[in-house]
mmCIF file of all heavy atoms in Angstrom:
data_model
loop_
_atom_site.group_PDB
_atom_site.id
_atom_site.type_symbol
_atom_site.label_atom_id
_atom_site.label_comp_id
_atom_site.label_asym_id
_atom_site.label_seq_id
_atom_site.Cartn_x
_atom_site.Cartn_y
_atom_site.Cartn_z
ATOM 1 N N ASP A 1 0.853 -1.191 0.000
ATOM 2 C CA ASP A 1 0.000 0.000 0.000
ATOM 3 C C ASP A 1 0.886 1.237 0.000
ATOM 4 O O ASP A 1 1.381 1.656 1.050
ATOM 5 C CB ASP A 1 -0.922 0.005 1.221
ATOM 6 C CG ASP A 1 -1.894 1.182 1.200
ATOM 7 O OD1 ASP A 1 -1.783 2.023 0.290
ATOM 8 O OD2 ASP A 1 -2.743 1.249 2.104
ATOM 9 N N PRO A 2 1.123 1.831 -1.166
ATOM 10 C CA PRO A 2 2.013 2.990 -1.227
ATOM 11 C C PRO A 2 1.491 4.192 -0.450
ATOM 12 O O PRO A 2 2.267 5.072 -0.061
ATOM 13 C CB PRO A 2 2.108 3.291 -2.723
ATOM 14 C CG PRO A 2 0.871 2.704 -3.308
ATOM 15 C CD PRO A 2 0.576 1.484 -2.492
ATOM 16 N N ASN A 3 0.187 4.229 -0.212
ATOM 17 C CA ASN A 3 -0.387 5.383 0.464
ATOM 18 C C ASN A 3 -0.048 5.451 1.951
ATOM 19 O O ASN A 3 -0.365 6.432 2.621
ATOM 20 C CB ASN A 3 -1.908 5.386 0.275
ATOM 21 C CG ASN A 3 -2.284 5.535 -1.190
ATOM 22 O OD1 ASN A 3 -1.694 6.337 -1.909
ATOM 23 N ND2 ASN A 3 -3.242 4.739 -1.641
ATOM 24 N N LEU A 4 0.609 4.411 2.468
ATOM 25 C CA LEU A 4 1.029 4.423 3.863
ATOM 26 C C LEU A 4 2.294 5.250 4.082
ATOM 27 O O LEU A 4 2.665 5.513 5.227
ATOM 28 C CB LEU A 4 1.279 2.991 4.347
ATOM 29 C CG LEU A 4 0.066 2.055 4.389
ATOM 30 C CD1 LEU A 4 0.520 0.656 4.797
ATOM 31 C CD2 LEU A 4 -0.985 2.582 5.352
ATOM 32 N N PHE A 5 2.938 5.669 3.002
ATOM 33 C CA PHE A 5 4.241 6.309 3.110
ATOM 34 C C PHE A 5 4.180 7.768 2.686
ATOM 35 O O PHE A 5 3.651 8.095 1.617
ATOM 36 C CB PHE A 5 5.261 5.553 2.244
ATOM 37 C CG PHE A 5 5.368 4.101 2.627
ATOM 38 C CD1 PHE A 5 4.563 3.148 2.011
ATOM 39 C CD2 PHE A 5 6.245 3.710 3.609
ATOM 40 C CE1 PHE A 5 4.648 1.823 2.369
ATOM 41 C CE2 PHE A 5 6.332 2.373 3.978
ATOM 42 C CZ PHE A 5 5.531 1.437 3.368
ATOM 43 N N ASN A 6 4.719 8.630 3.527
ATOM 44 C CA ASN A 6 4.701 10.069 3.247
ATOM 45 C C ASN A 6 5.347 10.386 1.906
ATOM 46 O O ASN A 6 4.862 11.253 1.166
ATOM 47 C CB ASN A 6 5.414 10.836 4.359
ATOM 48 C CG ASN A 6 4.639 10.832 5.657
ATOM 49 O OD1 ASN A 6 3.404 10.748 5.653
ATOM 50 N ND2 ASN A 6 5.341 10.927 6.774
ATOM 51 N N PHE A 7 6.438 9.681 1.578
ATOM 52 C CA PHE A 7 7.139 9.949 0.323
ATOM 53 C C PHE A 7 6.228 9.745 -0.876
ATOM 54 O O PHE A 7 6.323 10.470 -1.878
ATOM 55 C CB PHE A 7 8.368 9.049 0.215
ATOM 56 C CG PHE A 7 9.101 9.167 -1.098
ATOM 57 C CD1 PHE A 7 9.820 10.317 -1.417
ATOM 58 C CD2 PHE A 7 9.085 8.130 -2.017
ATOM 59 C CE1 PHE A 7 10.497 10.426 -2.625
ATOM 60 C CE2 PHE A 7 9.758 8.225 -3.224
ATOM 61 C CZ PHE A 7 10.458 9.380 -3.528
ATOM 62 N N CYS A 8 5.316 8.777 -0.792
ATOM 63 C CA CYS A 8 4.462 8.433 -1.927
ATOM 64 C C CYS A 8 3.256 9.354 -2.076
ATOM 65 O O CYS A 8 2.692 9.465 -3.175
ATOM 66 C CB CYS A 8 3.966 6.993 -1.795
ATOM 67 S SG CYS A 8 5.262 5.748 -1.936
ATOM 68 N N ARG A 9 2.849 9.985 -0.999
ATOM 69 C CA ARG A 9 1.575 10.707 -1.033
ATOM 70 C C ARG A 9 1.583 11.891 -1.984
ATOM 71 O O ARG A 9 0.534 12.292 -2.480
ATOM 72 C CB ARG A 9 1.209 11.160 0.383
ATOM 73 C CG ARG A 9 0.793 9.985 1.261
ATOM 74 C CD ARG A 9 0.517 10.394 2.678
ATOM 75 N NE ARG A 9 0.271 9.222 3.516
ATOM 76 C CZ ARG A 9 0.536 9.146 4.793
ATOM 77 N NH1 ARG A 9 1.071 10.199 5.411
ATOM 78 N NH2 ARG A 9 0.281 8.051 5.473
ATOM 79 N N GLY A 10 2.743 12.425 -2.267
ATOM 80 C CA GLY A 10 2.807 13.554 -3.184
ATOM 81 C C GLY A 10 3.058 13.156 -4.623
ATOM 82 O O GLY A 10 3.200 14.020 -5.498
ATOM 83 N N LEU A 11 3.082 11.833 -4.887
ATOM 84 C CA LEU A 11 3.370 11.341 -6.226
ATOM 85 C C LEU A 11 2.085 10.974 -6.955
ATOM 86 O O LEU A 11 1.063 10.687 -6.330
ATOM 87 C CB LEU A 11 4.272 10.096 -6.141
ATOM 88 C CG LEU A 11 5.612 10.266 -5.426
ATOM 89 C CD1 LEU A 11 6.321 8.921 -5.331
ATOM 90 C CD2 LEU A 11 6.497 11.287 -6.122
ATOM 91 N N ASN A 12 2.151 10.951 -8.278
ATOM 92 C CA ASN A 12 0.976 10.502 -9.032
ATOM 93 C C ASN A 12 0.792 9.000 -8.867
ATOM 94 O O ASN A 12 1.675 8.292 -8.356
ATOM 95 C CB ASN A 12 1.076 10.913 -10.504
ATOM 96 C CG ASN A 12 2.238 10.228 -11.221
ATOM 97 O OD1 ASN A 12 2.371 9.013 -11.196
ATOM 98 N ND2 ASN A 12 3.087 11.036 -11.879
ATOM 99 N N SER A 13 -0.327 8.475 -9.306
ATOM 100 C CA SER A 13 -0.670 7.074 -9.063
ATOM 101 C C SER A 13 0.362 6.106 -9.643
ATOM 102 O O SER A 13 0.751 5.128 -8.994
ATOM 103 C CB SER A 13 -2.051 6.768 -9.642
ATOM 104 O OG SER A 13 -3.054 7.474 -8.957
ATOM 105 N N LEU A 14 0.799 6.379 -10.874
ATOM 106 C CA LEU A 14 1.752 5.485 -11.509
ATOM 107 C C LEU A 14 3.075 5.466 -10.751
ATOM 108 O O LEU A 14 3.651 4.405 -10.492
ATOM 109 C CB LEU A 14 1.978 5.892 -12.962
ATOM 110 C CG LEU A 14 2.947 5.018 -13.763
ATOM 111 C CD1 LEU A 14 2.476 3.564 -13.779
ATOM 112 C CD2 LEU A 14 3.081 5.550 -15.191
ATOM 113 N N ASP A 15 3.563 6.646 -10.371
ATOM 114 C CA ASP A 15 4.821 6.720 -9.630
ATOM 115 C C ASP A 15 4.725 6.002 -8.288
ATOM 116 O O ASP A 15 5.693 5.379 -7.838
ATOM 117 C CB ASP A 15 5.222 8.185 -9.407
ATOM 118 C CG ASP A 15 5.902 8.801 -10.613
ATOM 119 O OD1 ASP A 15 6.239 8.053 -11.548
ATOM 120 O OD2 ASP A 15 6.095 10.033 -10.623
ATOM 121 N N ARG A 16 3.574 6.063 -7.642
ATOM 122 C CA ARG A 16 3.424 5.378 -6.354
ATOM 123 C C ARG A 16 3.624 3.883 -6.511
ATOM 124 O O ARG A 16 4.252 3.234 -5.670
ATOM 125 C CB ARG A 16 2.050 5.682 -5.751
ATOM 126 C CG ARG A 16 1.900 7.101 -5.230
ATOM 127 C CD ARG A 16 0.760 7.236 -4.233
ATOM 128 N NE ARG A 16 -0.540 6.910 -4.790
ATOM 129 C CZ ARG A 16 -1.322 7.783 -5.429
ATOM 130 N NH1 ARG A 16 -0.913 9.030 -5.595
ATOM 131 N NH2 ARG A 16 -2.502 7.411 -5.901
ATOM 132 N N TRP A 17 3.099 3.317 -7.587
ATOM 133 C CA TRP A 17 3.261 1.881 -7.806
ATOM 134 C C TRP A 17 4.667 1.534 -8.276
ATOM 135 O O TRP A 17 5.191 0.459 -7.954
ATOM 136 C CB TRP A 17 2.206 1.371 -8.782
ATOM 137 C CG TRP A 17 0.841 1.426 -8.176
ATOM 138 C CD1 TRP A 17 -0.203 2.229 -8.535
ATOM 139 C CD2 TRP A 17 0.388 0.676 -7.043
ATOM 140 N NE1 TRP A 17 -1.288 2.026 -7.713
ATOM 141 C CE2 TRP A 17 -0.954 1.077 -6.777
ATOM 142 C CE3 TRP A 17 0.958 -0.292 -6.220
ATOM 143 C CZ2 TRP A 17 -1.713 0.536 -5.742
ATOM 144 C CZ3 TRP A 17 0.209 -0.826 -5.192
ATOM 145 C CH2 TRP A 17 -1.107 -0.416 -4.956
ATOM 146 N N ILE A 18 5.303 2.417 -9.020
ATOM 147 C CA ILE A 18 6.690 2.183 -9.425
ATOM 148 C C ILE A 18 7.599 2.179 -8.202
ATOM 149 O O ILE A 18 8.545 1.385 -8.115
ATOM 150 C CB ILE A 18 7.137 3.241 -10.465
ATOM 151 C CG1 ILE A 18 6.419 3.001 -11.793
ATOM 152 C CG2 ILE A 18 8.652 3.199 -10.668
ATOM 153 C CD1 ILE A 18 6.697 4.046 -12.845
ATOM 154 N N VAL A 19 7.309 3.035 -7.226
ATOM 155 C CA VAL A 19 8.083 3.052 -5.987
ATOM 156 C C VAL A 19 8.019 1.696 -5.278
ATOM 157 O O VAL A 19 9.018 1.173 -4.785
ATOM 158 C CB VAL A 19 7.578 4.169 -5.045
ATOM 159 C CG1 VAL A 19 8.122 3.977 -3.634
ATOM 160 C CG2 VAL A 19 7.977 5.538 -5.576
ATOM 161 N N MET A 20 6.849 1.097 -5.248
ATOM 162 C CA MET A 20 6.644 -0.159 -4.523
ATOM 163 C C MET A 20 7.128 -1.390 -5.287
ATOM 164 O O MET A 20 7.352 -2.444 -4.710
ATOM 165 C CB MET A 20 5.152 -0.350 -4.220
ATOM 166 C CG MET A 20 4.558 0.638 -3.241
ATOM 167 S SD MET A 20 5.084 0.334 -1.522
ATOM 168 C CE MET A 20 6.232 1.716 -1.306
ATOM 169 N N CYS A 21 7.293 -1.268 -6.597
ATOM 170 C CA CYS A 21 7.595 -2.428 -7.440
ATOM 171 C C CYS A 21 8.951 -3.048 -7.086
ATOM 172 O O CYS A 21 9.934 -2.336 -6.876
ATOM 173 C CB CYS A 21 7.592 -1.999 -8.910
ATOM 174 S SG CYS A 21 7.874 -3.345 -10.066
ATOM 175 N N GLU A 22 8.992 -4.392 -7.033
ATOM 176 C CA GLU A 22 10.249 -5.095 -6.810
ATOM 177 C C GLU A 22 10.764 -5.753 -8.094
ATOM 178 O O GLU A 22 11.731 -6.513 -8.069
ATOM 179 C CB GLU A 22 10.100 -6.116 -5.679
ATOM 180 C CG GLU A 22 9.877 -5.430 -4.340
ATOM 181 C CD GLU A 22 9.855 -6.385 -3.152
ATOM 182 O OE1 GLU A 22 10.030 -7.613 -3.346
ATOM 183 O OE2 GLU A 22 9.641 -5.900 -2.021
ATOM 184 N N PHE A 23 10.093 -5.478 -9.224
ATOM 185 C CA PHE A 23 10.559 -5.880 -10.549
ATOM 186 C C PHE A 23 10.902 -7.373 -10.612
ATOM 187 O O PHE A 23 11.981 -7.768 -11.038
ATOM 188 C CB PHE A 23 11.757 -5.021 -10.978
ATOM 189 C CG PHE A 23 11.403 -3.577 -11.199
ATOM 190 C CD1 PHE A 23 11.527 -2.648 -10.170
ATOM 191 C CD2 PHE A 23 10.907 -3.137 -12.416
ATOM 192 C CE1 PHE A 23 11.178 -1.319 -10.362
ATOM 193 C CE2 PHE A 23 10.552 -1.812 -12.609
ATOM 194 C CZ PHE A 23 10.688 -0.904 -11.584
ATOM 195 N N ARG A 24 9.970 -8.201 -10.207
ATOM 196 C CA ARG A 24 10.175 -9.643 -10.191
ATOM 197 C C ARG A 24 9.631 -10.286 -11.454
ATOM 198 O O ARG A 24 8.699 -9.780 -12.070
ATOM 199 C CB ARG A 24 9.522 -10.248 -8.952
ATOM 200 C CG ARG A 24 10.144 -9.718 -7.655
ATOM 201 C CD ARG A 24 9.562 -10.392 -6.445
ATOM 202 N NE ARG A 24 10.157 -9.880 -5.217
ATOM 203 C CZ ARG A 24 11.292 -10.324 -4.694
ATOM 204 N NH1 ARG A 24 11.961 -11.295 -5.301
ATOM 205 N NH2 ARG A 24 11.773 -9.813 -3.575
ATOM 206 N N ALA A 25 10.203 -11.436 -11.806
ATOM 207 C CA ALA A 25 9.811 -12.142 -13.032
ATOM 208 C C ALA A 25 8.441 -12.784 -12.903
ATOM 209 O O ALA A 25 7.761 -13.009 -13.908
ATOM 210 C CB ALA A 25 10.852 -13.199 -13.372
ATOM 211 N N MET A 26 8.031 -13.103 -11.683
ATOM 212 C CA MET A 26 6.735 -13.711 -11.424
ATOM 213 C C MET A 26 6.444 -13.529 -9.935
ATOM 214 O O MET A 26 7.270 -12.992 -9.193
ATOM 215 C CB MET A 26 6.753 -15.201 -11.784
ATOM 216 C CG MET A 26 7.746 -16.014 -10.986
ATOM 217 S SD MET A 26 7.746 -17.773 -11.401
ATOM 218 C CE MET A 26 6.122 -18.258 -10.837
ATOM 219 N N THR A 27 5.256 -13.949 -9.499
ATOM 220 C CA THR A 27 4.955 -13.895 -8.081
ATOM 221 C C THR A 27 5.875 -14.871 -7.354
ATOM 222 O O THR A 27 5.869 -16.070 -7.624
ATOM 223 C CB THR A 27 3.487 -14.280 -7.811
ATOM 224 O OG1 THR A 27 2.643 -13.389 -8.539
ATOM 225 C CG2 THR A 27 3.170 -14.170 -6.322
ATOM 226 N N MET A 28 6.670 -14.341 -6.433
ATOM 227 C CA MET A 28 7.689 -15.148 -5.774
ATOM 228 C C MET A 28 7.170 -15.715 -4.459
ATOM 229 O O MET A 28 6.166 -15.258 -3.909
ATOM 230 C CB MET A 28 8.935 -14.307 -5.520
ATOM 231 C CG MET A 28 9.623 -13.820 -6.793
ATOM 232 S SD MET A 28 10.238 -15.158 -7.839
ATOM 233 C CE MET A 28 11.530 -15.824 -6.780
ATOM 234 N N HIS A 29 7.909 -16.708 -3.950
ATOM 235 C CA HIS A 29 7.608 -17.233 -2.627
ATOM 236 C C HIS A 29 8.901 -17.673 -1.945
ATOM 237 O O HIS A 29 9.945 -17.841 -2.586
ATOM 238 C CB HIS A 29 6.606 -18.385 -2.695
ATOM 239 C CG HIS A 29 7.146 -19.622 -3.339
ATOM 240 N ND1 HIS A 29 7.079 -19.842 -4.693
ATOM 241 C CD2 HIS A 29 7.765 -20.709 -2.808
ATOM 242 C CE1 HIS A 29 7.629 -21.000 -4.977
ATOM 243 N NE2 HIS A 29 8.060 -21.549 -3.860
ATOM 244 N N TRP A 30 8.803 -17.813 -0.640
ATOM 245 C CA TRP A 30 9.928 -18.239 0.187
ATOM 246 C C TRP A 30 9.493 -19.424 1.038
ATOM 247 O O TRP A 30 8.304 -19.602 1.314
ATOM 248 C CB TRP A 30 10.378 -17.116 1.119
ATOM 249 C CG TRP A 30 10.831 -15.873 0.445
ATOM 250 C CD1 TRP A 30 12.119 -15.483 0.195
ATOM 251 C CD2 TRP A 30 10.008 -14.793 -0.056
ATOM 252 N NE1 TRP A 30 12.157 -14.262 -0.423
ATOM 253 C CE2 TRP A 30 10.869 -13.816 -0.595
ATOM 254 C CE3 TRP A 30 8.625 -14.575 -0.087
ATOM 255 C CZ2 TRP A 30 10.392 -12.635 -1.154
ATOM 256 C CZ3 TRP A 30 8.154 -13.402 -0.654
ATOM 257 C CH2 TRP A 30 9.030 -12.440 -1.188
ATOM 258 N N LEU A 31 10.458 -20.199 1.491
ATOM 259 C CA LEU A 31 10.228 -21.207 2.508
ATOM 260 C C LEU A 31 10.928 -20.769 3.786
ATOM 261 O O LEU A 31 12.128 -20.459 3.775
ATOM 262 C CB LEU A 31 10.762 -22.575 2.068
ATOM 263 C CG LEU A 31 10.095 -23.222 0.846
ATOM 264 C CD1 LEU A 31 10.745 -24.576 0.568
ATOM 265 C CD2 LEU A 31 8.595 -23.368 1.041
ATOM 266 N N SER A 32 10.164 -20.712 4.854
ATOM 267 C CA SER A 32 10.721 -20.468 6.180
ATOM 268 C C SER A 32 10.692 -21.803 6.907
ATOM 269 O O SER A 32 9.618 -22.339 7.206
ATOM 270 C CB SER A 32 9.887 -19.420 6.925
ATOM 271 O OG SER A 32 10.357 -19.271 8.261
ATOM 272 N N MET A 33 11.872 -22.352 7.170
ATOM 273 C CA MET A 33 11.976 -23.704 7.708
ATOM 274 C C MET A 33 12.577 -23.653 9.112
ATOM 275 O O MET A 33 13.752 -23.318 9.293
ATOM 276 C CB MET A 33 12.802 -24.576 6.764
ATOM 277 C CG MET A 33 12.237 -24.570 5.337
ATOM 278 S SD MET A 33 12.872 -25.863 4.240
ATOM 279 C CE MET A 33 14.540 -25.262 3.946
ATOM 280 N N ARG A 34 11.747 -23.963 10.106
ATOM 281 C CA ARG A 34 12.124 -23.875 11.518
ATOM 282 C C ARG A 34 12.543 -25.243 12.049
ATOM 283 O O ARG A 34 11.815 -26.214 11.891
ATOM 284 C CB ARG A 34 10.936 -23.344 12.343
ATOM 285 C CG ARG A 34 10.545 -21.923 11.979
ATOM 286 C CD ARG A 34 9.254 -21.495 12.650
ATOM 287 N NE ARG A 34 8.084 -22.082 12.010
ATOM 288 C CZ ARG A 34 7.263 -22.951 12.578
ATOM 289 N NH1 ARG A 34 7.461 -23.345 13.821
ATOM 290 N NH2 ARG A 34 6.214 -23.424 11.921
#
């Protein structure tokens, strides 16, 4: 949610999502193994 961050609130909608983007090839996942 980019709107949670002060830096994003003054940006246009597209820029807010570009700020948050992690530029991944697909939806990623991790394994947390305890």
Side-chain angles (χ1 to χ4, degrees):
D1 184 355
N3 297 317
L4 295 176
F5 302 91
N6 290 331
F7 175 70
C8 293
R9 289 176 186 151
L11 302 175
N12 65 53
S13 294
L14 181 58
D15 279 350
R16 288 200 299 273
W17 292 112
I18 290 175
V19 166
M20 293 287 107
C21 183
E22 293 186 1
F23 294 92
R24 298 184 180 275
M26 61 179 294
T27 302
M28 296 298 293
H29 68 272
W30 300 261
L31 296 181
S32 175
M33 305 194 288
R34 296 171 284 115

